[in-house]
Amino acid sequence: MKEYLLQYKSFLLFLAKFFITYFVLSALYHLYLNQYNMKQNEVDDFTVVVANQTQKVLSFFDSGAHTELNDTEPSVKLFYNQKWVSRVIEGCNALSVMILFVSFVIAFSGKWKTTALFISFGLVIIHLFNVFRIALLSSAIYHFPDYQDFLHSVVFPLIIYGVVFILWIFWVNKYSFYAKK
């Protein structure tokens, strides 16, 4: 048993760091969400920020783009060309994707300062791509409503997860302790 632990020490350490980080950050995120009364259709502040930033991106193409809090569910309605094209819910804010990103980077950690800087950089990149992703999705739904399910379920998740995957590959190969020197 001891020989297996020694043989797989790196892998086991990776798993331990990943899951501990993931569970701690997820617990903190759930504490954050518990501040809001979803039964009364309260939307968390970060989701509102994402919706409002998406509206600002859409405003470059349509000065009438706007957001409204939804009365019937905890979401923000996003309007484009005077048409309600999408709803931004808690799952759209990419915080769960960011938790996954941070957990992986910490599991494949490098120098403390480099890790902290890369996490900060990565979170900003993920957030920006997410805002642009929602804006593009909203515009695409407006122009191609028949493809809404495909766009929402396939194309646009590939964007956000693709960005995270590229960041991970870059991290592991360039800055983690596992990178070839």
Side-chain angles (χ1 to χ4, degrees), residues 101 104-111 114-119 166-177 179:
F101 167 76
F104 184 87
V105 171
I106 288 176
F108 268 115
S109 60
K111 295 177 184 171
T114 306
T115 302
L117 287 172
F118 190 82
I119 287 172
I166 290 167
L167 287 168
W168 282 343
I169 295 299
F170 186 73
W171 170 254
V172 169
N173 289 317
K174 194 86 169 149
Y175 296 110
S176 77
F177 287 137

Side-chain angles (χ1 to χ4, degrees), residues 46-111:
F46 194 70
T47 300
V48 173
V49 166
V50 168
N52 290 336
Q53 290 175 343
T54 302
Q55 176 267 317
K56 286 182 183 2
V57 171
L58 287 173
S59 292
F60 283 110
F61 308 103
D62 170 30
S63 61
H66 67 279
T67 60
E68 293 176 12
L69 289 175
N70 195 332
D71 294 336
T72 60
E73 66 178 353
S75 67
V76 180
K77 295 179 180 180
L78 192 55
F79 291 83
Y80 183 67
N81 288 326
Q82 280 63 49
K83 183 179 178 187
W84 178 18
V85 290
S86 58
R87 62 190 177 96
V88 181
I89 61 171
E90 174 268 323
C92 299
N93 65 23
L95 283 175
S96 58
V97 174
M98 292 177 190
I99 289 170
L100 195 62
F101 167 76
V102 170
S103 300
F104 184 87
V105 171
I106 288 176
F108 268 115
S109 60
K111 295 177 184 171

Side-chain angles (χ1 to χ4, degrees), residues 11-162:
F11 176 70
L12 295 172
L13 188 58
F14 167 83
L15 285 179
K17 289 196 289 188
F18 177 85
F19 283 114
I20 289 168
T21 304
Y22 184 80
F23 287 125
V24 167
L25 292 177
S26 292
L28 291 172
Y29 183 44
H30 285 286
L31 284 173
Y32 164 75
L33 288 177
N34 286 338
Q35 301 178 77
Y36 301 92
N37 188 343
M38 301 294 180
K39 291 179 182 173
Q40 302 238 330
N41 300 323
E42 276 189 294
V43 183
D44 69 278
D45 291 337
F46 194 70
T47 300
V48 173
V49 166
V50 168
N52 290 336
Q53 290 175 343
T54 302
Q55 176 267 317
K56 286 182 183 2
V57 171
L58 287 173
S59 292
F60 283 110
F61 308 103
D62 170 30
S63 61
H66 67 279
T67 60
E68 293 176 12
L69 289 175
N70 195 332
D71 294 336
T72 60
E73 66 178 353
S75 67
V76 180
K77 295 179 180 180
L78 192 55
F79 291 83
Y80 183 67
N81 288 326
Q82 280 63 49
K83 183 179 178 187
W84 178 18
V85 290
S86 58
R87 62 190 177 96
V88 181
I89 61 171
E90 174 268 323
C92 299
N93 65 23
L95 283 175
S96 58
V97 174
M98 292 177 190
I99 289 170
L100 195 62
F101 167 76
V102 170
S103 300
F104 184 87
V105 171
I106 288 176
F108 268 115
S109 60
K111 295 177 184 171
W112 184 89
K113 186 176 179 181
T114 306
T115 302
L117 287 172
F118 190 82
I119 287 172
S120 299
F121 169 78
L123 292 176
V124 169
I125 294 297
I126 292 167
H127 176 71
L128 291 174
F129 266 89
N130 188 51
V131 167
F132 284 105
R133 175 188 76 98
I134 297 169
L136 284 170
L137 176 61
S138 299
S139 177
I141 288 171
Y142 176 81
H143 293 288
F144 308 104
D146 293 341
Y147 296 99
Q148 177 177 343
D149 290 336
F150 177 73
L151 291 167
H152 183 266
S153 302
V154 177
V155 174
F156 287 92
L158 282 174
I159 292 172
I160 198 72
Y161 288 112

